[in-house]
Structure formats: C-alpha cells, structure tokens
Amino acid sequence: MRTTILDELHLLLDRLGRSGYLIHQFEHDGRNGPAMVAGVLDWGGYADVVILHDEQYAVAYRTPTGPDADVFAPTVVFWS
C-alpha cells in the first residue's frame, strides 16, 4: 500500500494529539481546506508550538504564555 502525504499528515497529527498538543486549523478561504495546521502544547507558563505550512515548510518554537500572550504571534521565543 502506498503512503501519501495526507496519510503522513494524519499520522503526525495523531501523534501530536496523543502527546497532548491541541491542534488548530487556519483556513485560507474556507473552500480549499486548511492553509496551515498548528499544534500547541501548553506547559503552564510557556508553550511549544509546531506550525505546518505545507509539506516542505514547518516552524517550531517555545514561547511564554499568559493572559496577554498570543502563541501564534509571540513577542518572545526561547528557541525555534
């Protein structure tokens, strides 16, 4: 059986979810599926964020959390 990019994406998202990441979808226009998929693992005070833009580009970083913090637009990043 041939593994496709979508099969690999589903496996990755399943692993992230089982590890405690909360999965978010960001849509372009609502018709073509998610433009990006992100996972956030909140450690209480900071979060690990993984953003999958496409099959060739992804970003991961750790950022502080709090009432005024947006983990998708961080002002401070501990590592990336």
Side-chain angles (χ1 to χ4, degrees):
M1 185 170 138
R2 195 175 129 213
T3 302
T4 66
I5 296 289
L6 284 178
D7 292 332
E8 291 179 23
L9 177 62
H10 289 151
L11 285 172
L12 175 62
L13 292 174
D14 182 61
R15 285 184 188 162
L16 286 172
R18 289 177 190 269
S19 297
Y21 281 80
L22 180 60
I23 306 299
H24 302 264
Q25 294 186 110
F26 298 94
E27 295 182 344
H28 243 248
D29 58 13
R31 295 178 299 196
N32 299 319
M36 290 186 292
V37 176
V40 178
L41 181 59
D42 190 342
W43 293 96
Y46 63 94
D48 292 338
V49 180
V50 177
I51 302 173
L52 307 172
H53 292 272
D54 60 32
E55 62 266 3
Q56 296 180 4
Y57 183 67
V59 176
Y61 54 88
R62 178 171 286 167
T63 188
T65 59
D68 296 328
D70 181 350
V71 296
F72 298 118
T75 57
V76 175
V77 172
F78 298 127
W79 58 258
S80 66

